[in-house]
Amino acid sequence: MGSYEMSSYCIRFEASLLMRAERHRFHDLKKSTIFIQRLFRAKRERRAAIKIQELFRANQLMKIEKQKYQTLRTSAIVCQRLFRANHLMRVEKQNYQTLRSSRVFRVNRLMRIEKQKYQTLRSSAIVCQQMFRAKRLMRVETQKYQTLRSSLFRAKRLMRIETQIYHTLRSSAIVCQQLFRANRLMRTERQKYQTLRSSMFRAKKLMRVETQNYQTLRSSVIVCQKLFRAKSLMKIERQKYQTLRSSAIVCQQLFRAKRLMNTERQKYQTLRSSVIVCQELFRANQLMKIEKQKYQTLRTS
C-alpha cells in the first residue's frame, strides 16, 4: 500500500515539475520576443533620427552655400557695374567729342533698353539656377528614401521567415516531448501491469487501494487535460493577436506611405510649375534675341 501511494506522489511530482519547466520556457520565450521587439524599434527610431539629422545638415549647408553665393553674386554685380560704368564713361567721352546731341540721346535711350533686357535675362537665369539646384537635391533625397525603404522591406521579410521557423521548431519539439513522455508512461504502466498479472492472488485484497489510486490518477489526468486545453487556447489567442498586430502595422505603413506620396506630389507640382515658368522665360529670351538681330539688320540696311 505504501508503494502505490509513493507512485501516485511521484506522478504528481513529475506533473508539477513538467508544468514548472513549461512555464519557465514560456517566460523565457516571452522575454526573448520582447527583447527582439525593443531592438527592432530602437533600430527603426535610430534610422529615422539619422535621416532627420542628414536633412538638417543638408539644409544648414544649403543656407551657408546660399549666403556665400549671394555675397559672391553681389560683389560680381558691383564689379560689373563699375567696369561697365567706366567703359560707358570712356565711350560717352569719345562720342561726345564726335557725335551730336541727337545721337547722344539715342544712345542713352538704347542703353536703357539694353539695361532692362539685361536685368530680365539675369532674373530668369537666377530662377533657372535655383530650380536646377532644387531638382538635384530632390533626386538625391529620393535615392536615399528608396534605399531606406528597400532595407526596411528586407528586414520585415527576414523577421517573418524567422518567426515561422521558430513556430515550426517549437511545435515539433512539443510533439516530440509529448510522444517521449507518453512512451515512458506506457513502459511504466506495462511493467505495473506485468507485476499485477503475476500477483493475481493478491489483487483481491488490494482492489480498494487500486480504486483509490485510480481515482487520484484520474483526477491528475483531468487536471493535466485542463492545463493542456488552456495552453492550446493560449496558442490560438496568441496567433490571433499576432495576425491583428501584423495587419495594424501594415495599415500604418500604408497610411504613412500615402501621406508621403501626397507631399512628394505637391513638391513635384510646384517644381513643374516653376520649370514651365523658366521655359517660358527662356523662349521669350530667344525671341528677343531674334528680334534684336532683325532690328540690327534693318538698322544697318
Side-chain angles (χ1 to χ4, degrees), residues 225-241:
Q225 287 178 356
K226 287 179 181 180
L227 291 171
F228 179 75
R229 288 168 185 170
K231 193 174 181 181
S232 63
L233 287 170
M234 284 291 288
K235 287 180 183 177
I236 293 162
E237 292 295 327
R238 193 179 296 156
Q239 289 178 358
K240 288 180 181 179
Y241 172 72

Side-chain angles (χ1 to χ4, degrees), residues 183-197:
N183 193 1
R184 188 170 62 186
L185 288 170
M186 285 291 290
R187 286 178 184 176
T188 54
E189 291 295 330
R190 192 176 290 168
Q191 288 176 4
K192 287 179 183 179
Y193 175 73
Q194 288 176 1
T195 55
L196 287 169
R197 189 178 178 185

Side-chain angles (χ1 to χ4, degrees), residues 1 3 21-22 37 64 121 139 147 153 161 165 170 174 181 190-191 245 248 284 288 296 298:
M1 188 168 177
S3 64
E22 289 294 326
Q37 287 176 359
I64 292 162
L121 289 171
R139 286 179 183 174
T147 53
F153 279 119
I161 292 163
I165 292 165
R170 187 170 178 274
I174 289 164
R181 288 166 186 166
R190 192 176 290 168
Q191 288 176 4
R245 185 174 174 275
M288 285 293 290
Q296 287 178 358
L298 290 169

Side-chain angles (χ1 to χ4, degrees), residues 48-257:
I50 289 164
K51 187 177 179 182
I52 290 163
Q53 287 176 359
E54 288 176 355
L55 291 171
F56 181 74
R57 288 170 184 167
N59 193 3
Q60 292 291 326
L61 288 170
M62 280 292 293
K63 287 180 180 178
I64 292 162
E65 292 293 330
K66 190 174 180 181
Q67 288 177 0
K68 288 180 181 179
Y69 172 74
Q70 286 178 358
T71 54
L72 289 170
R73 181 171 163 273
T74 52
S75 61
I77 289 164
V78 170
C79 292
Q80 287 175 1
R81 284 177 183 175
L82 292 170
F83 178 76
R84 287 168 185 166
N86 194 3
H87 184 69
L88 285 170
M89 285 293 289
R90 289 178 183 176
V91 172
E92 288 293 330
K93 283 180 182 179
Q94 290 177 3
N95 290 323
Y96 181 76
Q97 293 175 1
T98 57
L99 297 172
R100 294 178 183 179
S101 62
S102 62
R103 290 183 181 180
V104 172
F105 179 75
R106 289 174 186 174
V107 168
N108 194 3
R109 187 174 62 186
L110 288 170
M111 284 296 291
R112 287 178 184 174
I113 294 163
E114 290 294 328
K115 189 175 181 181
Q116 289 178 358
K117 288 179 182 178
Y118 172 73
Q119 287 178 356
T120 53
L121 289 171
R122 182 172 163 275
S123 62
S124 62
I126 289 163
V127 172
C128 292
Q129 287 176 0
Q130 289 176 357
M131 294 307 297
F132 177 73
R133 287 168 185 166
K135 191 174 181 181
R136 187 170 60 189
L137 286 170
M138 282 295 292
R139 286 179 183 174
V140 173
E141 291 296 328
T142 51
Q143 287 177 0
K144 289 180 181 178
Y145 173 71
Q146 287 176 359
T147 53
L148 287 169
R149 189 179 177 189
S150 63
S151 64
L152 284 171
F153 279 119
R154 289 173 186 171
K156 287 177 183 177
R157 192 182 297 166
L158 288 170
M159 284 292 289
R160 287 177 184 173
I161 292 163
E162 290 294 328
T163 51
Q164 288 177 0
I165 292 165
Y166 168 73
H167 286 301
T168 53
L169 289 170
R170 187 170 178 274
S171 62
S172 62
I174 289 164
V175 171
C176 291
Q177 287 175 0
Q178 289 176 358
L179 291 171
F180 178 74
R181 288 166 186 166
N183 193 1
R184 188 170 62 186
L185 288 170
M186 285 291 290
R187 286 178 184 176
T188 54
E189 291 295 330
R190 192 176 290 168
Q191 288 176 4
K192 287 179 183 179
Y193 175 73
Q194 288 176 1
T195 55
L196 287 169
R197 189 178 178 185
S198 63
S199 61
M200 284 294 291
F201 295 102
R202 295 176 183 176
K204 290 180 181 180
K205 293 180 181 179
L206 299 171
M207 280 296 288
R208 293 177 182 176
V209 177
E210 288 296 328
T211 52
Q212 290 177 359
N213 290 323
Y214 172 74
Q215 287 177 359
T216 55
L217 286 169
R218 186 171 175 274
S219 63
S220 63
V221 168
I222 289 163
V223 170
C224 292
Q225 287 178 356
K226 287 179 181 180
L227 291 171
F228 179 75
R229 288 168 185 170
K231 193 174 181 181
S232 63
L233 287 170
M234 284 291 288
K235 287 180 183 177
I236 293 162
E237 292 295 327
R238 193 179 296 156
Q239 289 178 358
K240 288 180 181 179
Y241 172 72
Q242 288 177 356
T243 53
L244 288 170
R245 185 174 174 275
S246 61
S247 62
I249 290 164
V250 169
C251 292
Q252 288 176 359
Q253 290 175 356
L254 291 171
F255 179 74
R256 289 169 184 167

Side-chain angles (χ1 to χ4, degrees), residues 12-63:
R12 288 179 184 176
F13 184 71
E14 286 178 357
S16 66
L17 287 174
L18 290 171
M19 284 298 294
R20 286 180 183 176
E22 289 294 326
R23 192 177 294 163
H24 285 299
R25 286 177 185 173
F26 175 73
H27 285 299
D28 291 331
L29 290 170
K30 187 177 179 183
K31 287 179 181 177
S32 62
T33 52
I34 291 164
F35 182 72
I36 291 163
Q37 287 176 359
R38 285 178 181 173
L39 288 174
F40 181 72
R41 289 169 183 168
K43 193 173 181 181
R44 186 171 61 189
E45 289 176 356
R46 187 182 173 190
R47 287 179 179 174
I50 289 164
K51 187 177 179 182
I52 290 163
Q53 287 176 359
E54 288 176 355
L55 291 171
F56 181 74
R57 288 170 184 167
N59 193 3
Q60 292 291 326
L61 288 170
M62 280 292 293
K63 287 180 180 178

